[in-house]
Amino acid sequence: MKNPIQSALSRRAFLEKSAAAAAGGFLLGQAPTILRGADDRKKLNIALVGCGGRGSGAAGQALNADSNTQLVAMADAFSDRLEVAYKNLETTQGSKVMVDPKNKFVGLDAIDKVCAMPDVDVVLLTTPPAFRPEHLKKVVAAGKHAFCEKPCATDAPGVRRFMEAAAEGKKKGLGLLSGFCYRFANGERELMKRIHGGEIGDVRSVYGAYMGGSPWEKDRKPEWGDLEWQLRNWLYYTWLSGDHLVEQAIHTVDKMMWAFQDADPVRAWSVAGRQQRVEEKYGNVYDHFAVCYEFEGGRLGTIFCRQQAGTWSDNGDRIFGTKGTGRIVSFRSQSYQNLDDTSWKYDGEKADMYQTEHNEFFASLRKGAPMHMGEQLAHSTMVGIMGRMAAYTGQVVSWEEATEAQEDLRPTEPLSWDMKLKTPPVAMPGRTKLI
């Protein structure tokens, strides 16, 4: 018998729970007017929380998604990041950027000031993922729709907190767009439609790769305290990013889950470590992972990911069926080749998947039927975290063990700029325990 926590994290249970909550309705005043559909003449006001490169990109796509949108508020922990994003968006979006100086919020509590603005309809949540569960909770409490960049958390307790907030949002009829953009790519959609329709037979195995160089890092300045140093280099701290399997390669994990129709994995095992990025500035994350997920019926999903400078890059997926093999070469091609020599290759329109997801989201808000992807975002995030657990511990980790895990990666004391915050130790397989 499944325990309550594991059952809550299964996709079917989440969908059923969310549907029941939505059927229960919501109290008057808990949801914005665009829940009931909005005339195109109604301005949709957007706020951006997290002004890095991905946040700026999402803001531009949200503004382009609807002819009558405007950016009215921006928030970030750091004023320099906010101002760079503001200038870039003002240049590219012109009059759609209507951010009064008093609505530029800086600090660890900036999200609270955004949520206190009654005229904001949609909040874009693009901070480091450690903050996503609490930020969504505040956005939902304020009755606003949300775009949540992937992943939705960095540990199992965070996923559970995110799920609670997402379920409450669905109960209120609020929309939630996931940052899993490949699910909005035309070629990938058509390929998965054909695969799920049986054109390569029963899917038995998936191989996905996200292998590339090492991303940016920032040298520490003398005036930066421990918290600022970690926030500005958030990719390299597991409590903030989840490690690159959960933060970047989670796209590859999500495509694997898509191919397996979002089934729960049974268990996972891994070989992973930290070979090249060993300096202090790289925090406590790994630089490579190889994870194998087992699904019911002996089906296997294998994820390779690497962040090492000067190495070969690969970003693609192979889906093995009983009749043939599907293949995704990210940003380039989608195809399959069968054993009987039948084949298919996508030759349709190649739209921008980042833009498409926002186009469809804002269209759903206009119709009064808000898109809600909370359960899928939480599910794939949890699968990524499960793989990291297997890697860090060097053990086989079951779905039940992963979803019940109690390890909370957040600092134990409230965040403050003058706090002492040591870099957590690098996990060592065979010695690091599953908590």
Side-chain angles (χ1 to χ4, degrees), residues 169-419:
K170 198 161 189 177
K171 179 180 178 181
K172 290 183 176 182
L174 298 171
L176 191 157
L177 174 65
S178 157
F180 283 129
C181 50
Y182 282 95
R183 300 216 183 199
F184 294 86
N186 291 353
E188 279 80 355
R189 279 178 161 177
E190 182 61 27
L191 176 61
M192 290 297 184
K193 178 182 176 181
R194 290 171 177 269
I195 288 173
H196 294 160
E199 293 190 25
I200 67 167
D202 295 332
V203 175
R204 299 299 305 164
S205 180
V206 176
Y207 165 79
Y210 204 132
M211 299 195 291
S214 188
W216 53 264
E217 74 266 352
K218 303 197 186 289
D219 293 326
R220 185 166 187 169
K221 295 183 178 180
E223 64 269 24
W224 290 355
D226 291 345
L227 179 60
E228 181 165 0
W229 163 240
Q230 293 191 22
L231 287 177
R232 288 189 182 272
N233 279 278
W234 63 272
L235 289 175
Y236 304 107
Y237 294 89
T238 304
W239 78 271
L240 283 165
S241 70
D243 211 324
H244 67 98
L245 171 66
V246 178
E247 196 283 320
Q248 183 185 64
I250 199 68
H251 280 301
T252 304
V253 172
D254 184 58
K255 284 183 281 182
M256 174 188 73
M257 296 305 297
W258 192 7
F260 282 132
Q261 300 189 62
D262 294 299
D264 294 345
V266 175
R267 59 181 186 159
W269 56 94
S270 173
V271 174
R274 177 178 167 116
Q275 291 177 310
Q276 187 190 84
R277 300 188 310 196
V278 297
E279 295 84 0
E280 180 184 5
K281 66 181 178 180
Y282 295 115
N284 69 325
V285 299
Y286 281 6
D287 58 18
H288 65 281
F289 290 84
V291 185
C292 189
Y293 295 92
E294 182 179 355
F295 293 80
E296 287 186 3
R299 298 172 297 161
L300 294 176
T302 304
I303 304 295
F304 279 22
C305 61
R306 178 176 61 199
Q307 289 186 345
Q308 293 178 341
T311 60
W312 173 70
S313 296
D314 181 27
N315 186 359
D317 314 87
R318 299 189 186 207
I319 303 164
F320 300 94
T322 52
K323 295 180 182 179
T325 302
R327 187 174 185 187
I328 297 171
V329 180
S330 295
F331 302 104
R332 290 176 54 192
S333 65
Q334 305 80 28
S335 61
Y336 70 67
Q337 177 71 47
N338 281 348
L339 298 173
D340 64 2
D341 289 331
T342 60
S343 63
W344 170 85
K345 184 175 182 179
Y346 181 73
D347 61 0
E349 179 185 2
K350 294 185 180 295
D352 180 346
M353 61 185 178
Y354 299 98
Q355 188 59 58
T356 300
E357 65 177 346
H358 285 275
N359 291 351
E360 294 185 7
F361 182 56
F362 277 84
S364 77
L365 301 184
R366 288 289 186 193
K367 289 171 59 179
M371 178 188 301
H372 197 285
M373 300 179 67
E375 58 271 10
Q376 180 258 318
L377 175 54
H379 194 244
S380 289
T381 295
M382 189 64 238
V383 174
I385 292 170
M386 176 188 186
R388 187 195 67 214
M389 290 174 178
Y392 279 11
T393 63
Q395 306 300 322
V396 175
V397 176
S398 71
W399 181 241
E400 290 82 0
E401 289 172 324
T403 56
E404 291 180 5
Q406 298 301 308
E407 184 177 29
D408 190 328
L409 298 176
R410 297 174 298 176
T412 55
E413 60 182 281
L415 300 183
S416 66
W417 294 122
D418 60 353
M419 71 187 302

